[in-house]
Amino acid sequence: MPNLPKIPLESWISNIVSWLTTHLSGLFDLMQKGGQSIMDALTNGLTAIPMPLMIAGLTFIAILTTHKKYGFPIFTFIGLALIANQNLWSDLMSTVTLVIMASVISLVIGIPLGILTAKSPKTAAVVKPILDFMQTMPGFVYLIPAVAFFGIGVVPGVFASIIFALPPMVRMTDLGIRQVPIDLVEAADSFGSTTWQKLIKLELPNARNTILAGANQTIMLALSMVVTASMIGAPGLGRGVLSAVQRADVGSGFVNGLGLVILAIIIDRFTQKLNTKPGQKATRKPWRRWAILATVLVMIGGGVVNAMTSEKTTGQKVTLGYVAWDSEVASTTVLAQSLRQHGYDVTMTPLDNAVLWQSLSNGQVDASVSAWLPYTHKALYAKYKNDISLLGPNLHGAKTGFVVPDYMKVNSIADLKDEANKTVTGIEPGAGEMTTAKQTLEAYPNLSGWNLSSSSSGAMTTALDKAYKSKKDIIVTGWSPHWMFSKYKLKYLEDPKGTMGKNETINTITRKNLKQDNPKFEKVMDKFNWTKDDMESVMFDIQKGQSPEQAANKWLKAHAKLADSWYK
Amino acid sequence: MAKVEIKHLTKIFGKRPKAALKMVKQNKSKDEIVEKTGSTVGVYDISMSIDEGEIFVIMGLSGSGKSTLIRLLNRLIEPTEGQLFIDGQEITKFNKKQMLDIRRQKMSMVFQNFGLFPHRTLLENTEYGLEIQGVEKEERRKRAEQALDNAKLLSYKDQYPSQLSGGMQQRVGLARALTNDPDILLMDEAFSALDPLVRGEMQDELLELQANVQKTIIFITHDLNEALHIGDHIAIMKDGQLQQIGTGEEILTNPANDYVKTFIGGVDRSKVLTAESIMIPSLTTNVDVDGPTVALRKMADEEVSGLVAVNRKRELLGYLSSDEAVKARRNQKPLTQAVSTMPTVALDTLVADIMPIIYDSQTPVAVVDANKRVRGVIIRGSVLEALADTEGEENA
């Protein structure tokens, strides 16, 4: 086997994407702005419709479309009521918006493309391999160029969903048209139909059910991408699932997931009702159609009335980005609640760490209070330092390192031999601490052959809890402030080489022009600070089962003086 | 002037038509050509002319290229070579637009599997041809309803094709083709998917229709009886090539080659006919079970005036004529007493030996096997036919 040089595929692809990003930035910005405003309008429209009215309306439509069976209407009613009861209504509406947009665009692109591939073998030869590629590539991969092109938010989510959900639409349309019996096509031809007439009068009506089945699949795939897209800031139920995964919170993950399941079943049943057999046109009474139309109009009307009468939030809009680590959930929620009390309209966007820095650098997020410097996020800071402003520390005495339960005998990284199956249990692969941990494994000769397993911060604490209870060895990548130090007896391992960083600070970073655009807010961000103990008390409250907002409000009440000092 | 004129029309399917064409000219068989070139010869060097107002039947076994030929006529399939004239215009030179007009105004097609659109009602199906021409709704409805009325299907106009029997569906197919008022009707095995009884009815209907409308009808079939029944001229095809064109009479009396001969069921001299080869299935009545009324009903159904009487074991008892059955019913006698004897021959009896028997007998002759079981009957017609064949050959 001759030693072939490695083909620089990665850099080629990166170069292509960055070329596209720089040269088409105008177009992408336009799409981002336009898409964002359309989606916002849609979401606002949906949330404007009063919840009880919408639930009643959808249940009524379910009754009208189901014949003499009550299962589906009852399911619709109970399912939606349950989602509303769990306070997931606005998340549900965001998800519905994303799914509607992704599906509609997939239909608009997919059906004509499917017709084209059915009619032209050449097009099919080009398109089919591309479809195969699109469908088998893991959905996560689409998130990366999506962020590069459109930044964070709902637009890249839709973009990624479309790429993922488009193939079945094209395929099923193609199949449906090809499946029209040849003698029917010949008959249409023999009467002198033009290609267009044949398509409209014969092929599409006969392919209708196949196309609808494709649409149904497309909607389901778009739904499945909702969770993935939430990693890059797409709002909705996916966000709840994702942060539950990161915090290893079974209950909230399940509830959010259940919301998605209920939504999926309702959409699926409604789309299946559109199927009819040819030659057996449903002898629907016309009044049913009118009733459905009237119900929809009433719902929209209710939405309009509600939008007119409800008060607009007049606060300044600011966006805080954070990573769903327990420490950052605590600090960001406290800050957000405090800002809200001072009349700001705050959006909290949970993101993956690398994406967070990137969206600060391109100005999509106003600020973040979760930069761990100088060690943990060194690489990211080096990459983006010219495009962001560093306002300085908001918390001193932070520390990262290898953490073990104190019943383990080992005290220094240099003394590790073969404890814990030579494994260090880590967190999200994108986290800064993982980079330093990797460097640590390389720096210490006694750690050759050890490996670093990545998961999520929540999964790491779950693993720690399990090992601690059964008195097993475990080494984790830990950091303080963290509630685990108040819950378990743990110790940091000494780090003679200093590769895991010495004492660190958590810093506040903002986008470049925040000072010019919004000096008042920038000043608040500059002044925001608190202590390790403050943070750990909030974290511990959340850990014990309070919601982040409750814990934040409790802390704010107790420390009003400190909180007020941020605004002076 | 001929309505349709075909000159040296050829269609080769596949990727290497030139090579295949060369091989056809060397008289290579279809299989050989497929093996060598991967191309199939659909039709090769067909020339014929079809007069206005005649029913021209194209016959052949499956794979003989007859369906390809009919699709070449309205260019659903593009010919590889050759010319096609309709009313003196060479339509093989027409562009897409002109071709659409020809299909809309001059030709209509009827398909073996009816080709009705399942998502449209009968009326919507019937008016399709006018609809795509952009005829006003009122006008096209009127004409479509007229066509359905002629097909005696007007009351079904809002039904869907799946709700109808095959015969009805094909009547709709025909009505749909006629609504356009075309000069030429192309019928591709139009009646092959129907059961024999309905098929006969449809053939008669077509002849009746033709008497009224005088269209040029090009009719494809693989059934010789159908061809003889309706065709003014018949063309016989084999492996994409024309074997013979002529009236039914000409083809039966002067088959052009061996293929046509075997096709029309001609017998060669060497083969000596036996009773078995000319007998037809017998219509029997089991007199142990059936009464006179049942027997009479059977006769009425089968349109005959007598039945072969058998017992439970299907052994021959004799012949039951309608007169005897009527008498039996009147006198309330069982059928066993109404049976008259009938002449019998064995399976391997020669036709020559059967002749005298059949001339003397009032009834058909029963063909029985060694166990006295009835296997079939011989009627005068079948003997005459057998004779006609041999005589024809002697004269030839």
PDB file of all heavy atoms in Angstrom, chain B residues 38-51:
ATOM      1  N   GLY B  38     -29.761  -6.219 -30.249  1.00  0.00           N
ATOM      2  CA  GLY B  38     -30.512  -5.671 -29.131  1.00  0.00           C
ATOM      3  C   GLY B  38     -31.700  -4.839 -29.582  1.00  0.00           C
ATOM      4  O   GLY B  38     -32.352  -4.190 -28.784  1.00  0.00           O
ATOM      5  N   SER B  39     -31.969  -4.843 -30.868  1.00  0.00           N
ATOM      6  CA  SER B  39     -33.117  -4.091 -31.369  1.00  0.00           C
ATOM      7  C   SER B  39     -34.224  -5.052 -31.782  1.00  0.00           C
ATOM      8  O   SER B  39     -33.960  -6.163 -32.218  1.00  0.00           O
ATOM      9  CB  SER B  39     -32.720  -3.258 -32.586  1.00  0.00           C
ATOM     10  OG  SER B  39     -31.659  -2.416 -32.254  1.00  0.00           O
ATOM     11  N   THR B  40     -35.461  -4.594 -31.624  1.00  0.00           N
ATOM     12  CA  THR B  40     -36.595  -5.413 -32.020  1.00  0.00           C
ATOM     13  C   THR B  40     -37.236  -4.804 -33.253  1.00  0.00           C
ATOM     14  O   THR B  40     -37.412  -3.592 -33.331  1.00  0.00           O
ATOM     15  CB  THR B  40     -37.660  -5.433 -30.909  1.00  0.00           C
ATOM     16  OG1 THR B  40     -37.002  -5.432 -29.659  1.00  0.00           O
ATOM     17  CG2 THR B  40     -38.555  -6.621 -31.042  1.00  0.00           C
ATOM     18  N   VAL B  41     -37.591  -5.660 -34.167  1.00  0.00           N
ATOM     19  CA  VAL B  41     -38.300  -5.172 -35.346  1.00  0.00           C
ATOM     20  C   VAL B  41     -39.780  -5.120 -34.992  1.00  0.00           C
ATOM     21  O   VAL B  41     -40.391  -6.146 -34.722  1.00  0.00           O
ATOM     22  CB  VAL B  41     -38.074  -6.117 -36.545  1.00  0.00           C
ATOM     23  CG1 VAL B  41     -38.793  -5.579 -37.769  1.00  0.00           C
ATOM     24  CG2 VAL B  41     -36.596  -6.258 -36.808  1.00  0.00           C
ATOM     25  N   GLY B  42     -40.326  -3.930 -34.977  1.00  0.00           N
ATOM     26  CA  GLY B  42     -41.753  -3.778 -34.703  1.00  0.00           C
ATOM     27  C   GLY B  42     -42.550  -4.116 -35.949  1.00  0.00           C
ATOM     28  O   GLY B  42     -43.294  -5.092 -35.983  1.00  0.00           O
ATOM     29  N   VAL B  43     -42.369  -3.293 -36.981  1.00  0.00           N
ATOM     30  CA  VAL B  43     -42.959  -3.629 -38.284  1.00  0.00           C
ATOM     31  C   VAL B  43     -41.901  -3.355 -39.346  1.00  0.00           C
ATOM     32  O   VAL B  43     -41.022  -2.522 -39.168  1.00  0.00           O
ATOM     33  CB  VAL B  43     -44.225  -2.790 -38.599  1.00  0.00           C
ATOM     34  CG1 VAL B  43     -45.301  -3.013 -37.588  1.00  0.00           C
ATOM     35  CG2 VAL B  43     -43.912  -1.312 -38.694  1.00  0.00           C
ATOM     36  N   TYR B  44     -42.012  -4.094 -40.452  1.00  0.00           N
ATOM     37  CA  TYR B  44     -41.007  -3.916 -41.482  1.00  0.00           C
ATOM     38  C   TYR B  44     -41.648  -3.814 -42.858  1.00  0.00           C
ATOM     39  O   TYR B  44     -42.381  -4.714 -43.284  1.00  0.00           O
ATOM     40  CB  TYR B  44     -40.009  -5.074 -41.452  1.00  0.00           C
ATOM     41  CG  TYR B  44     -39.014  -5.007 -42.586  1.00  0.00           C
ATOM     42  CD1 TYR B  44     -38.072  -3.982 -42.623  1.00  0.00           C
ATOM     43  CD2 TYR B  44     -39.040  -5.934 -43.616  1.00  0.00           C
ATOM     44  CE1 TYR B  44     -37.177  -3.897 -43.669  1.00  0.00           C
ATOM     45  CE2 TYR B  44     -38.145  -5.856 -44.662  1.00  0.00           C
ATOM     46  CZ  TYR B  44     -37.209  -4.835 -44.679  1.00  0.00           C
ATOM     47  OH  TYR B  44     -36.323  -4.748 -45.717  1.00  0.00           O
ATOM     48  N   ASP B  45     -41.373  -2.707 -43.530  1.00  0.00           N
ATOM     49  CA  ASP B  45     -41.726  -2.530 -44.934  1.00  0.00           C
ATOM     50  C   ASP B  45     -43.194  -2.848 -45.221  1.00  0.00           C
ATOM     51  O   ASP B  45     -43.510  -3.709 -46.023  1.00  0.00           O
ATOM     52  CB  ASP B  45     -40.821  -3.413 -45.806  1.00  0.00           C
ATOM     53  CG  ASP B  45     -40.907  -2.977 -47.273  1.00  0.00           C
ATOM     54  OD1 ASP B  45     -41.309  -1.827 -47.504  1.00  0.00           O
ATOM     55  OD2 ASP B  45     -40.609  -3.792 -48.152  1.00  0.00           O
ATOM     56  N   ILE B  46     -44.059  -2.136 -44.526  1.00  0.00           N
ATOM     57  CA  ILE B  46     -45.490  -2.344 -44.738  1.00  0.00           C
ATOM     58  C   ILE B  46     -45.999  -1.334 -45.756  1.00  0.00           C
ATOM     59  O   ILE B  46     -45.732  -0.139 -45.640  1.00  0.00           O
ATOM     60  CB  ILE B  46     -46.271  -2.128 -43.428  1.00  0.00           C
ATOM     61  CG1 ILE B  46     -45.769  -3.071 -42.338  1.00  0.00           C
ATOM     62  CG2 ILE B  46     -47.761  -2.256 -43.655  1.00  0.00           C
ATOM     63  CD1 ILE B  46     -46.423  -4.398 -42.316  1.00  0.00           C
ATOM     64  N   SER B  47     -46.671  -1.846 -46.781  1.00  0.00           N
ATOM     65  CA  SER B  47     -47.321  -0.947 -47.729  1.00  0.00           C
ATOM     66  C   SER B  47     -48.759  -1.410 -47.896  1.00  0.00           C
ATOM     67  O   SER B  47     -49.000  -2.592 -48.120  1.00  0.00           O
ATOM     68  CB  SER B  47     -46.625  -0.974 -49.088  1.00  0.00           C
ATOM     69  OG  SER B  47     -45.297  -0.541 -48.943  1.00  0.00           O
ATOM     70  N   MET B  48     -49.685  -0.495 -47.770  1.00  0.00           N
ATOM     71  CA  MET B  48     -51.080  -0.857 -48.033  1.00  0.00           C
ATOM     72  C   MET B  48     -51.884   0.418 -48.234  1.00  0.00           C
ATOM     73  O   MET B  48     -51.436   1.503 -47.869  1.00  0.00           O
ATOM     74  CB  MET B  48     -51.658  -1.674 -46.869  1.00  0.00           C
ATOM     75  CG  MET B  48     -51.529  -1.005 -45.515  1.00  0.00           C
ATOM     76  SD  MET B  48     -52.385  -1.899 -44.217  1.00  0.00           S
ATOM     77  CE  MET B  48     -51.309  -3.247 -43.873  1.00  0.00           C
ATOM     78  N   SER B  49     -53.029   0.282 -48.860  1.00  0.00           N
ATOM     79  CA  SER B  49     -53.876   1.456 -48.969  1.00  0.00           C
ATOM     80  C   SER B  49     -55.275   1.080 -48.504  1.00  0.00           C
ATOM     81  O   SER B  49     -55.737  -0.042 -48.719  1.00  0.00           O
ATOM     82  CB  SER B  49     -53.894   1.981 -50.408  1.00  0.00           C
ATOM     83  OG  SER B  49     -54.730   1.188 -51.184  1.00  0.00           O
ATOM     84  N   ILE B  50     -55.892   2.018 -47.831  1.00  0.00           N
ATOM     85  CA  ILE B  50     -57.187   1.744 -47.205  1.00  0.00           C
ATOM     86  C   ILE B  50     -58.195   2.737 -47.759  1.00  0.00           C
ATOM     87  O   ILE B  50     -57.937   3.948 -47.789  1.00  0.00           O
ATOM     88  CB  ILE B  50     -57.073   1.882 -45.671  1.00  0.00           C
ATOM     89  CG1 ILE B  50     -56.096   0.826 -45.152  1.00  0.00           C
ATOM     90  CG2 ILE B  50     -58.433   1.735 -45.014  1.00  0.00           C
ATOM     91  CD1 ILE B  50     -55.573   1.070 -43.774  1.00  0.00           C
ATOM     92  N   ASP B  51     -59.327   2.239 -48.230  1.00  0.00           N
ATOM     93  CA  ASP B  51     -60.309   3.106 -48.872  1.00  0.00           C
ATOM     94  C   ASP B  51     -61.227   3.746 -47.861  1.00  0.00           C
ATOM     95  O   ASP B  51     -61.409   3.243 -46.744  1.00  0.00           O
ATOM     96  CB  ASP B  51     -61.155   2.287 -49.861  1.00  0.00           C
ATOM     97  CG  ASP B  51     -60.329   1.879 -51.062  1.00  0.00           C
ATOM     98  OD1 ASP B  51     -59.358   2.608 -51.384  1.00  0.00           O
ATOM     99  OD2 ASP B  51     -60.621   0.817 -51.639  1.00  0.00           O
TER     100      ASP B  51
END
